Amino acid sequence: MFLEQICPGQVNSHLQAIHTFIYKNERFIVYATGSKVVIYADPDNLVQIIAASSLFEPQDILEPVTAVSGNNRTGQIALAYHNQIGILKPCDGNEHRWELDTVLNTTQVITCLDWSVNSKVIFFFKYMFRMTRYIYIKLNYI
């Protein structure tokens, strides 16, 4: 099955613009299209569409969402929009809706998001990723 058959709208061209995760034995597909985040419970079951402009401080230009990541343990979803990170949490009593929990402001544009084993969001800037990858490669040879 092709990605275009599952996801309406074009998925953003960033590497971290789509993510799948399992929460409470149900698979979710989260992806960024333009400045929106789309959440599916199955390829056929649209759950929610969230506009980044409704979560974050307004930008001069409409920026794309650059990264999304779901947490298998808590059901939280992190999304990166320019230099801000939004953490969405499942709504109480409704496992198929998310609401804004926290907004983190950074100094750089976020390019990568993930979750630690302790359910902490991990993020990388464009230049930080290059430096971190270099340090990781050097440590493997020591």
Side-chain angles (χ1 to χ4, degrees):
M1 183 175 284
F2 294 109
L3 186 62
E4 292 82 11
Q5 293 173 307
I6 298 171
C7 305
Q10 184 175 357
V11 176
N12 292 347
S13 61
H14 301 278
L15 293 175
Q16 298 282 314
I18 188 166
H19 190 252
T20 60
F21 68 104
I22 296 173
Y23 175 61
K24 293 191 176 179
N25 296 321
E26 191 161 2
R27 181 179 66 154
F28 291 95
I29 302 166
V30 182
Y31 70 94
T33 177
S35 62
K36 294 185 172 104
V37 173
V38 180
I39 305 168
Y40 273 88
D42 283 317
D44 304 345
N45 187 3
L46 175 64
V47 172
Q48 191 173 3
I49 298 174
I50 302 167
S53 60
S54 68
L55 304 175
F56 300 107
E57 296 172 10
Q59 302 291 329
D60 294 335
I61 323 168
L62 204 56
E63 297 279 342
V65 173
T66 54
V68 294
S69 183
N71 186 325
N72 293 329
R73 181 181 281 167
T74 64
Q76 292 175 302
I77 296 173
L79 60 117
Y81 180 67
H82 193 60
N83 64 338
Q84 298 173 308
I85 300 169
I87 308 294
L88 306 172
K89 65 178 181 178
C91 293
D92 292 334
N94 189 348
E95 296 171 7
H96 289 105
R97 300 295 289 173
W98 277 262
E99 62 187 4
L100 184 64
D101 184 31
T102 307
V103 174
L104 306 170
N105 292 307
T106 66
T107 58
Q108 301 280 331
V109 175
I110 305 300
T111 57
C112 183
L113 290 170
D114 205 355
W115 292 93
S116 73
V117 294
N118 300 324
S119 297
K120 305 288 185 202
V121 69
I122 302 168
F123 59 96
F124 287 95
F125 307 133
K126 185 175 186 179
Y127 302 107
M128 188 177 174
F129 179 70
R130 288 183 186 150
M131 180 184 72
T132 306
R133 194 170 86 181
Y134 174 75
I135 292 169
Y136 176 75
I137 291 169
K138 288 298 240 186
L139 290 176
N140 279 339
Y141 291 114
I142 295 176

